[in-house]
Amino acid sequence: MNRLYDMEPRVMDDDMLKLAVGEQGPREEAGQLAKQEGILFKDVVSLQLDFQNILRIDNLWQFESLQKLQLDNNIIEKIEGLENLTRLVWLDLSFNNIEAIEGLDTLVNLEDLSLFNNRISKIDSLDALVKLQVLSLGNNHIGNMMNIIYLRRFKALRTLSLSGNPVAEDEDYKMFICAYLPDLVYLDFRRLDDHMKELAEMKHQYSIDELKHRENLMQARLEDEQARREELEEHKAAFVEQLNGTFLFDSMYAEDVEGSKLSHLPGVGELLEAYKDKFVIICLNIFEYGLKQQEKRKAELDTFMECVQEAIQENQEQGKLKIAKFEEKHLLSLNAIREESELSSIETKIVEYSEDITELFNVLMTLEMQLVEQLEETINMFERNIIDLVGLFVENVQSLMAQCRDLENHHHEKLLEIAINILEKIVKGEMDEDLPDDVRSLFVDKDTIVNAVGASHDIHLLKIDNREDELVTRVNSWYTHLLDKIHKDEIMRNRKRVKEINQYVDHVQSELDSLECGDLLD
């Protein structure tokens, strides 16, 4: 399978790509124009680079519109450099020296892949190719029949070629593929008949049923994981993720060494459970309130976007009516000027028509200014509403977080009281319960135990403060970026519209200017 050429291995550089694009470009007048002005790589949809003795795939990052890429009959050893070709539908890498399938993770639109006549021994790393319909892997080194099972995940796969591989020599080869890939239509360039599929299904029924059971379990797990991820994203969008349970409370004790020791004190276990129950209730209140507020913010944003789109659409319709009326008159005016024989009359009509153009410009610009004012008022109203919603949300969350701090302060006081009482019992020799050595070491004196309780308290307060700060910072950042984007989008819309108006008016003015009096009189 190793292909050797007399010529030296080549690199995919700009010169090679420009030459290929030029040779494969449009012919006749369009082709001549393209050669004069140059063809942008980003606009190319098909590229043929076969028989070029290419050793390494490179410099294709600009071909963002490419749909078909032909790299067959080269000496390529590794699949790479294709990550920007996300629109690629057809890829031919046949007759190369490729040993592993890789580098295809971004080609989510690929439908047809040929790796015929390479050195591939394993079918894998194709997971991203969810639209794959045709896969050619003939004349490779694939010898494990279990590789076929991997292809079951490609629900659109209809054509498969594996002839010329060790696996194709297995006497059960065709039956196995028919059984495990029941939706396949063509195998090794021949259509699979329904009778063979039925026989294959009967032969492998037990194994297939067992495999389907495992696949269903795996699919259920994947769906659960996806649902959890989507739910987490919703909670993050509301800024209250992981507040619907014990996460914050548990995180307070995760790094609290002293608190862990103190939990072994008599009476602290019950105190801790009561504290945890109350703390989690407040966290749930924050969580549920956050979701409700997120719905309000979303509704406010949706209403705003609808208002903006309605205003723009209404304004555009008015502009179209003005332009339609103008163009009716436009054709009549141009014809009238062309048919006029008197120079003075021509000049008069040209002046009149110039005034019509100026009037159209003023009308369109007035409409745009009215829209700008209307949208500015709408944006300002939305800005006030969203700031009020965010302000209320932050205020109420801070109030609930203050309740968490109050609970922590109360727990701290009770814990300190228990610790001091135990210290007094130890000093008096009245302590009946045995304490672990690391816990007893805290009761050297009053300062030591007070410091231990205080250190635990400080860690808990810091966790609560950090979670509150994180929430407030993120929600403020969200609305700041949102409003900034809305203002920038409106500026860009306005500039684009003004440019469109000027271009249109310049166009009709140039038509008028092209009517030179001398030419008309001739």
Side-chain angles (χ1 to χ4, degrees):
M1 265 183 256
N2 187 26
R3 285 161 293 285
L4 298 174
Y5 297 90
D6 293 335
M7 58 191 296
E8 290 291 322
R10 298 182 64 193
V11 177
M12 290 176 64
D13 54 19
D14 274 0
D15 290 338
M16 177 191 288
L17 296 172
K18 286 177 182 176
L19 180 62
V21 169
E23 289 178 349
Q24 299 159 40
R27 299 290 185 264
E28 300 176 350
E29 185 178 349
Q32 295 301 319
L33 184 63
K35 285 185 178 180
Q36 292 172 11
E37 298 183 356
I39 301 174
L40 296 175
F41 286 173
K42 71 179 183 65
D43 297 326
V44 175
V45 295
S46 179
L47 185 62
Q48 185 175 341
L49 292 166
D50 54 336
F51 295 98
Q52 298 291 325
N53 222 42
I54 296 168
L55 178 63
R56 184 168 179 264
I57 304 170
D58 202 0
N59 289 311
L60 292 174
W61 59 272
Q62 296 180 71
F63 290 82
E64 56 192 50
S65 299
L66 200 64
Q67 297 179 22
K68 182 176 182 180
L69 177 59
Q70 194 168 333
L71 285 167
D72 59 283
N73 289 281
N74 286 291
I75 53 173
I76 296 166
E77 297 178 347
K78 183 178 181 180
I79 305 173
E80 59 186 336
L82 304 175
E83 54 272 1
N84 288 337
L85 310 185
T86 55
R87 298 185 182 179
L88 206 61
V89 175
W90 190 92
L91 175 61
D92 188 353
L93 285 164
S94 58
F95 295 96
N96 279 286
N97 299 326
I98 297 165
E99 296 185 357
I101 301 173
E102 58 188 330
L104 303 173
D105 294 341
T106 62
L107 308 187
V108 294
N109 290 303
L110 199 64
E111 297 177 3
D112 192 317
L113 173 62
S114 178
L115 290 164
F116 187 84
N117 217 90
N118 278 279
R119 301 172 177 176
I120 296 164
S121 58
K122 184 179 181 181
I123 307 174
D124 62 357
S125 303
L126 295 169
D127 298 47
L129 279 54
V130 293
K131 296 182 180 180
L132 190 64
Q133 298 178 18
V134 179
L135 178 60
S136 176
L137 283 166
N139 283 16
N140 276 281
H141 299 166
I142 300 164
N144 189 345
M145 195 76 82
M146 290 301 104
N147 273 210
I148 308 302
I149 296 176
Y150 171 78
L151 297 175
R152 284 175 62 83
R153 69 194 63 199
F154 303 102
K155 304 303 180 184
L157 187 65
R158 296 295 179 267
T159 301
L160 176 66
S161 169
L162 286 170
S163 59
N165 284 279
V167 71
E169 298 173 7
D170 192 296
E171 61 180 17
D172 196 35
Y173 166 68
K174 190 173 288 188
M175 280 284 193
F176 188 90
I177 290 179
C178 285
Y180 283 89
L181 302 178
D183 295 325
L184 203 65
V185 178
Y186 294 96
L187 175 63
D188 298 331
F189 312 106
R190 292 186 177 182
R191 188 177 181 89
L192 296 170
D193 62 81
D194 293 338
H195 179 63
M196 176 174 285
K197 287 185 178 183
E198 290 174 3
L199 293 176
E201 184 180 1
M202 291 172 60
K203 181 177 181 180
H204 294 274
Q205 184 173 3
Y206 178 77
S207 298
I208 293 291
D209 288 345
E210 187 178 348
L211 178 61
K212 284 181 178 179
H213 177 67
R214 292 199 303 271
E215 287 176 341
N216 289 337
L217 291 177
M218 178 62 73
Q219 183 63 28
R221 281 198 296 271
L222 291 174
E223 289 175 0
D224 287 344
E225 290 173 6
Q226 179 65 21
R228 283 196 295 270
R229 282 195 296 270
E230 290 174 358
E231 185 179 56
L232 180 59
E233 289 304 312
E234 290 177 7
H235 298 170
K236 284 182 177 179
F239 313 103
V240 291
E241 72 277 7
Q242 296 177 326
L243 286 173
N244 56 332
T246 64
F247 181 84
L248 180 56
F249 186 88
D250 294 340
S251 72
M252 288 161 46
Y253 282 87
E255 301 170 10
D256 182 9
V257 178
E258 307 297 351
S260 178
K261 294 177 183 178
L262 293 167
S263 66
H264 292 92
L265 297 179
V268 172
E270 296 82 356
L271 178 68
L272 196 58
E273 282 300 317
Y275 172 35
K276 182 177 182 178
D277 291 343
K278 293 176 182 178
F279 191 95
V280 170
I281 288 173
I282 296 174
C283 288
L284 287 171
N285 288 339
I286 296 173
F287 175 78
E288 291 169 2
Y289 175 68
L291 293 183
K292 289 178 181 177
Q293 288 301 111
Q294 167 63 5
E295 287 298 316
K296 290 183 180 180
R297 291 193 295 270
K298 185 177 181 300
E300 186 68 33
L301 180 58
D302 290 345
T303 301
F304 164 74
M305 296 304 295
E306 288 174 9
C307 289
V308 168
Q309 290 305 315
E310 285 176 7
I312 292 173
Q313 187 173 354
E314 183 180 346
N315 187 275
Q316 287 175 342
E317 292 300 324
Q318 292 180 30
K320 287 177 182 177
L321 287 174
K322 299 292 183 184
I323 291 172
K325 289 181 180 179
F326 170 81
E327 289 189 340
E328 287 180 14
K329 189 176 180 182
H330 168 66
L331 293 174
L332 295 174
S333 298
L334 289 180
N335 289 333
I337 292 171
R338 290 191 183 97
E339 293 171 0
E340 185 59 61
S341 57
E342 293 292 329
L343 180 59
S344 59
S345 298
I346 291 173
E347 290 176 344
T348 301
K349 284 183 168 58
I350 288 175
V351 170
E352 290 174 354
Y353 186 41
S354 293
E355 291 174 353
D356 290 342
I357 295 173
T358 301
E359 183 183 354
L360 174 66
F361 174 79
N362 291 334
V363 166
L364 293 178
M365 288 302 293
T366 299
L367 279 173
E368 175 57 22
M369 289 307 299
Q370 290 173 351
L371 179 59
V372 167
E373 292 174 1
Q374 183 180 357
L375 292 181
E376 183 179 2
E377 184 179 344
T378 303
I379 291 171
N380 289 338
M381 183 180 298
F382 171 74
E383 188 169 343
R384 287 193 298 271
N385 292 344
I386 207 71
I387 288 174
D388 287 345
L389 281 172
V390 169
L392 179 64
F393 174 58
V394 168
E395 181 182 343
N396 287 330
V397 166
Q398 288 176 330
S399 175
L400 289 166
M401 284 293 188
Q403 293 179 30
C404 289
R405 275 187 286 271
D406 290 341
L407 279 177
E408 169 57 30
N409 290 332
H410 177 73
H411 176 73
H412 168 66
E413 291 171 3
K414 291 293 185 182
L415 181 59
L416 185 59
E417 183 181 328
I418 291 173
I420 295 297
N421 288 335
I422 291 174
L423 177 63
E424 291 175 354
K425 287 183 179 181
I426 291 174
V427 170
K428 294 177 182 179
E430 299 174 354
M431 186 66 183
D432 297 329
E433 296 88 344
D434 289 331
L435 296 176
D437 292 341
D438 58 341
V439 178
R440 186 172 285 275
S441 65
L442 299 176
F443 291 89
V444 176
D445 52 39
K446 185 174 182 179
D447 287 345
T448 303
I449 190 61
V450 169
N451 289 338
V453 176
S456 174
H457 180 51
D458 290 342
I459 289 174
H460 299 173
L461 288 178
L462 182 62
K463 288 287 185 180
I464 296 170
D465 291 345
N466 286 346
R467 185 63 181 92
E468 179 183 326
D469 291 343
E470 180 198 356
L471 186 151
V472 172
T473 301
R474 281 172 51 204
V475 71
N476 285 334
S477 175
W478 169 79
Y479 89 77
T480 300
H481 284 97
L482 174 64
L483 296 177
D484 185 50
K485 183 179 184 303
I486 287 171
H487 284 291
K488 285 181 179 178
D489 288 349
E490 169 52 17
I491 290 170
M492 293 301 295
R493 185 211 61 78
N494 172 245
R495 288 176 180 172
K496 182 181 177 183
R497 180 56 178 161
V498 170
K499 184 179 179 181
E500 289 172 351
I501 293 170
N502 279 304
Q503 286 177 337
Y504 179 75
V505 169
D506 289 345
H507 169 69
V508 294
Q509 184 65 52
S510 67
E511 286 187 315
L512 178 61
D513 294 342
S514 67
L515 298 176
E516 298 179 3
C517 293
D519 295 338
L520 290 168
L521 288 173
D522 292 343

